[in-house]
Amino acid sequence: MAETTTKAVDLRDSGGLPSHTYAFYALRDLHPGEVRELLCPEDPAVLMQSVNLQLRNRLYWAVVRAGPPLWRLRVQLREDLPAASLTDLLTRDHARLDRLLACALRLANRNQLTEAEPAVGELSRAVRRHIRVENEILAPVFSAPRNLLGNDPTSIMLREHEQILEQLSLIESCIAGGAETRSNTTPLLALLSGAMAKHEHREEQNLFPNWNRALALGTDADGTAAFLRRVQSALADRETTEEDH
Ligand SMILES: [Fe+2]
Ligand SMILES: [Fe+2]
């Protein structure tokens, strides 16, 4: 992605605000393609870890020049960088889905259901795309052993995908319905939020490490990079072929 902006933020100009708060406000609205140059009068390691945690690990930073007396950092969104691994790529997409769901839920909680409707639409498209990638690209490639009881990680993932898709369809029909039906949107979004959090955690713990290992064993660095590009394009709804690169 092309870089669009480089803006300097000097923590010495915080106007009495704690450095952490000033940095948080300066970095929370960072957009894709944007870069902030951060000037820190103290070692920024702890401060950046803390701000990044608040921003759900969306940030990537590099120390351009180390202090004392002044540290100069280059900060951008992690999503602007090529994924370091399959786990990294999928975990980033989980975080994106969580943000879309939080946005829809925030609007619904305020009873702004007209504004929530496009947010639900965007969420639905992104979740369906993510599930399609996991079901149709990743699960077939990394066919892990399944068991008859259906409690292996792949079977659990596929079953939970069905449940999530059913929940999504119900939410879509509620928010598109009359006033009485619409009022069910908020509790259903809250239920989906809980289901998604558990599902994503299970995948990140039980499934993605296995897929990562299988990918590393199955191909070399170039093959891995090409596969990650394919998955990234599919998650962004831009299916590519090897000829595109
Ligand atoms: Fe999933
Ligand atoms: Fe997932």
Side-chain angles (χ1 to χ4, degrees), residues 9 11 23 27 36-40 47-48 71-73 75:
V9 176
L11 296 187
L27 298 171
R36 291 275 190 283
E37 187 184 50
L38 202 66
L39 303 173
C40 311
L47 175 134
M48 285 306 297
W71 281 258
R72 190 179 291 270
L73 269 64
V75 188

Side-chain angles (χ1 to χ4, degrees), residues 151-220:
N151 56 13
D152 58 276
T154 306
S155 299
I156 291 170
M157 177 193 79
L158 294 171
R159 200 163 52 241
E160 289 180 348
H161 285 171
E162 289 299 318
Q163 292 160 357
I164 288 169
L165 290 173
E166 280 173 22
Q167 285 179 277
L168 263 179
S169 296
L170 192 56
I171 290 167
E172 285 172 310
S173 63
C174 277
I175 204 162
E180 201 175 323
T181 318
R182 277 192 138 196
S183 64
N184 294 322
T185 304
T186 309
L188 286 172
L189 276 171
L191 281 175
L192 178 64
S193 176
M196 289 277 290
K198 283 185 198 148
H199 174 72
E200 289 168 350
H201 180 74
R202 257 194 287 276
E203 286 184 338
E204 289 169 20
Q205 296 301 308
N206 304 332
L207 206 54
F208 297 170
N210 295 341
W211 288 356
N212 239 2
R213 266 193 299 278
L215 182 60
L217 287 172
T219 186
D220 58 12

Side-chain angles (χ1 to χ4, degrees), residues 8-244:
V9 176
D10 191 333
L11 296 187
R12 294 170 297 182
D13 300 333
S14 67
L17 277 179
S19 295
H20 171 276
T21 309
Y22 191 62
F24 172 76
Y25 285 132
L27 298 171
R28 67 175 177 174
D29 295 325
L30 205 52
H31 293 296
E34 276 188 313
V35 174
R36 291 275 190 283
E37 187 184 50
L38 202 66
L39 303 173
C40 311
E42 291 170 20
D43 187 335
V46 174
L47 175 134
M48 285 306 297
Q49 279 168 15
S50 164
V51 171
N52 194 31
L53 206 60
Q54 271 186 287
L55 295 174
R56 300 196 47 130
N57 291 313
R58 293 189 74 198
L59 302 179
Y60 170 83
W61 67 94
V63 178
V64 177
R65 198 167 69 213
L70 193 65
W71 281 258
R72 190 179 291 270
L73 269 64
R74 183 186 156 83
V75 188
Q76 61 194 120
L77 292 179
R78 201 154 65 101
E79 67 200 52
D80 285 349
L81 303 169
S85 67
L86 188 57
T87 297
D88 183 29
L89 182 56
L90 294 169
T91 307
R92 285 186 204 183
D93 207 52
H94 280 175
R96 185 174 69 98
L97 300 181
D98 295 346
R99 288 194 297 277
L100 292 172
L101 182 47
C103 172
L105 189 53
R106 198 164 44 243
L107 291 166
N109 272 328
R110 290 186 203 138
N111 215 20
Q112 294 176 290
L113 291 174
T114 305
E115 291 84 353
E117 195 167 350
V120 165
E122 192 181 354
L123 168 71
S124 176
R125 285 189 294 279
V127 171
R128 289 174 194 280
R129 226 163 27 231
H130 184 95
I131 287 178
R132 202 159 50 235
V133 168
E134 289 178 337
N135 283 9
E136 296 175 16
I137 298 179
L138 300 170
V141 168
F142 303 114
S143 52
R146 312 271 295 272
N147 66 44
L148 290 173
L149 296 175
N151 56 13
D152 58 276
T154 306
S155 299
I156 291 170
M157 177 193 79
L158 294 171
R159 200 163 52 241
E160 289 180 348
H161 285 171
E162 289 299 318
Q163 292 160 357
I164 288 169
L165 290 173
E166 280 173 22
Q167 285 179 277
L168 263 179
S169 296
L170 192 56
I171 290 167
E172 285 172 310
S173 63
C174 277
I175 204 162
E180 201 175 323
T181 318
R182 277 192 138 196
S183 64
N184 294 322
T185 304
T186 309
L188 286 172
L189 276 171
L191 281 175
L192 178 64
S193 176
M196 289 277 290
K198 283 185 198 148
H199 174 72
E200 289 168 350
H201 180 74
R202 257 194 287 276
E203 286 184 338
E204 289 169 20
Q205 296 301 308
N206 304 332
L207 206 54
F208 297 170
N210 295 341
W211 288 356
N212 239 2
R213 266 193 299 278
L215 182 60
L217 287 172
T219 186
D220 58 12
D222 286 346
T224 298
F227 186 73
L228 292 184
R229 283 198 299 272
R230 182 183 167 210
V231 174
Q232 192 157 20
S233 296
L235 288 171
D237 205 16
R238 288 190 318 265
E239 271 289 11
T240 56
T241 63
E242 278 309 284
E243 290 74 46
D244 293 329

